[in-house]
Amino acid sequence: MASITDLVKEGLKYPLNDWKKVLTLGIIFLISSLVSFAMEYLVFDSIRVMSDFAPLDTVQGALAAIPPNNMALIILSWIVTLILMIFASGYTYDVIKYALEGKFELPGFSDIKGLFVKGVRSFIVGIAYSILPIILFLLGFMLTVNEAVGASVNAIGGIILLIAIVFAVFCALMEVIALCHMVKNDELAAAFRFKEIWALIKNLGWGRFIGILLFTVIAIMIITVFFGFIFGLVATIISMIFGSALVLALVNMILNSLLLNPYASIVISRVYGSVYNEAAKVE
């Protein structure tokens, strides 16, 4: 059985096998970031426009104040971002698959249709495992902040909030193995075979399972902070040359999207697959 450090080290080194593919995934993240950046500008511009019509008494009135062209572009940007993230999820699906199969090379991008289908599967699993925690959290939040219901109900809302947070962590852990189980069996239904998923985690051990994921997150955070600092210096120097704060934000976004984001996504997906393999070995 591989040690926690061995699994994480292998995951951290894995993207270095082919930086061209890491950068290709980075381009997807970059385009998505640029679209989101443009969307934020449109939203800000729309808010500025709406403020000219203040006060707005209804939600319908606020929406009506948004320029039609801006609203159309905002909706389009959401759609484009979603499609790009589905493709990115499809790629990390293949990264998990390669880990399960013991392959050391990175997957390619040639099967566009396949990437999209796999990304949709991953997206569905993510939604399914997060919907209940989100509902619980919203319920708890509404009960907590609503002063009209009384202190006792506010306290119940606080308890529900706490339960929602714990439940969200539990669902997130289950989702890791569920996602890998889906990839392993190449079918969406496998992600919801809860007895099999529970058995895999139990065989691996909850302590070991959480330890591997926690160690991975800490390692990625350290790398992110270090290179984030380096990228920040580079962005600051470039922005000083151009004398623009906008350049600072753009350079930072470009460097992080091209390098850090795809690297972290690939590392996490690789570790997911390795964790699943370890769980399967114990059975």
Side-chain angles (χ1 to χ4, degrees), residues 89-152:
S89 296
Y91 186 78
T92 54
Y93 182 111
D94 279 345
V95 171
I96 294 174
K97 181 180 179 181
Y98 274 40
L100 296 177
E101 296 174 351
K103 296 180 180 179
F104 294 99
E105 69 271 20
L106 273 70
F109 292 86
S110 58
D111 186 8
I112 301 299
K113 180 181 178 181
L115 287 176
F116 186 79
V117 171
K118 295 168 186 175
V120 170
R121 288 182 181 178
S122 298
F123 184 76
I124 292 173
V125 172
I127 293 295
Y129 275 84
S130 62
I131 189 69
L132 285 179
I134 290 174
I135 292 174
L136 274 178
F137 182 85
L138 291 176
L139 175 61
F141 180 78
M142 287 187 293
L143 291 177
T144 302
V145 300
N146 189 351
E147 297 179 358
V149 296
S152 58

Side-chain angles (χ1 to χ4, degrees), residues 247-265:
V247 172
L248 173 64
L250 283 173
V251 172
N252 249 320
M253 182 181 65
I254 290 170
L255 291 174
N256 281 284
S257 297
L258 275 179
L259 299 172
L260 279 183
N261 293 348
Y263 174 81
S265 297

Side-chain angles (χ1 to χ4, degrees), residues 11 95-96 213 216-217 220 263-273:
V95 171
I96 294 174
L213 297 182
T216 302
V217 171
I220 290 177
Y263 174 81
S265 297
I266 292 172
V267 169
I268 291 172
S269 300
R270 181 71 178 187
V271 172
Y272 282 2

Side-chain angles (χ1 to χ4, degrees), residues 12-277:
L12 293 173
K13 293 177 181 177
Y14 177 68
L16 306 180
N17 292 332
D18 195 334
W19 269 107
K20 290 182 179 179
K21 291 176 181 176
V22 175
L23 288 173
T24 302
L25 180 61
I27 291 173
I28 295 176
F29 280 112
L30 176 58
I31 296 173
S32 176
S33 296
L34 290 172
V35 171
S36 297
F37 186 83
M39 180 185 70
E40 289 172 7
Y41 171 79
L42 290 172
V43 170
F44 176 79
D45 184 59
S46 298
I47 292 174
R48 179 185 59 79
V49 172
M50 285 189 293
S51 66
D52 295 335
F53 291 86
L56 297 173
D57 299 326
T58 64
V59 174
Q60 290 83 358
L63 291 175
I66 299 177
N69 289 341
N70 281 17
M71 178 59 76
L73 289 172
I74 289 171
I75 294 173
L76 179 61
S77 67
W78 287 339
I79 295 172
V80 171
T81 300
L82 176 61
I83 292 174
L84 290 171
M85 288 301 97
I86 286 176
F87 276 113
S89 296
Y91 186 78
T92 54
Y93 182 111
D94 279 345
V95 171
I96 294 174
K97 181 180 179 181
Y98 274 40
L100 296 177
E101 296 174 351
K103 296 180 180 179
F104 294 99
E105 69 271 20
L106 273 70
F109 292 86
S110 58
D111 186 8
I112 301 299
K113 180 181 178 181
L115 287 176
F116 186 79
V117 171
K118 295 168 186 175
V120 170
R121 288 182 181 178
S122 298
F123 184 76
I124 292 173
V125 172
I127 293 295
Y129 275 84
S130 62
I131 189 69
L132 285 179
I134 290 174
I135 292 174
L136 274 178
F137 182 85
L138 291 176
L139 175 61
F141 180 78
M142 287 187 293
L143 291 177
T144 302
V145 300
N146 189 351
E147 297 179 358
V149 296
S152 58
V153 177
N154 290 154
I156 293 174
I159 295 172
I160 294 175
L161 269 179
L162 181 60
I163 293 173
I165 293 171
V166 175
F167 187 52
V169 173
F170 173 75
C171 288
L173 292 172
M174 289 285 288
E175 183 186 347
V176 171
I177 300 301
L179 187 61
C180 294
H181 204 49
M182 174 182 68
V183 176
K184 179 69 175 179
N185 293 276
D186 194 27
E187 59 174 322
L188 180 62
F192 304 101
R193 293 172 187 161
F194 301 114
K195 288 185 179 180
E196 296 175 11
I197 294 166
W198 180 267
L200 285 165
I201 297 176
K202 186 177 179 181
N203 287 336
L204 179 63
W206 279 96
R208 180 174 167 79
F209 179 41
I210 294 173
I212 294 171
L213 297 182
L214 187 60
F215 189 21
T216 302
V217 171
I218 292 173
I220 290 177
M221 285 178 62
I222 292 172
I223 292 172
T224 300
V225 169
F226 176 76
F227 282 100
F229 177 74
I230 301 297
F231 293 164
L233 285 178
V234 173
T236 300
I237 293 172
I238 295 176
S239 67
M240 289 175 65
I241 294 174
F242 287 92
S244 172
L246 179 61
V247 172
L248 173 64
L250 283 173
V251 172
N252 249 320
M253 182 181 65
I254 290 170
L255 291 174
N256 281 284
S257 297
L258 275 179
L259 299 172
L260 279 183
N261 293 348
Y263 174 81
S265 297
I266 292 172
V267 169
I268 291 172
S269 300
R270 181 71 178 187
V271 172
Y272 282 2
S274 298
V275 167
Y276 185 91
N277 281 339

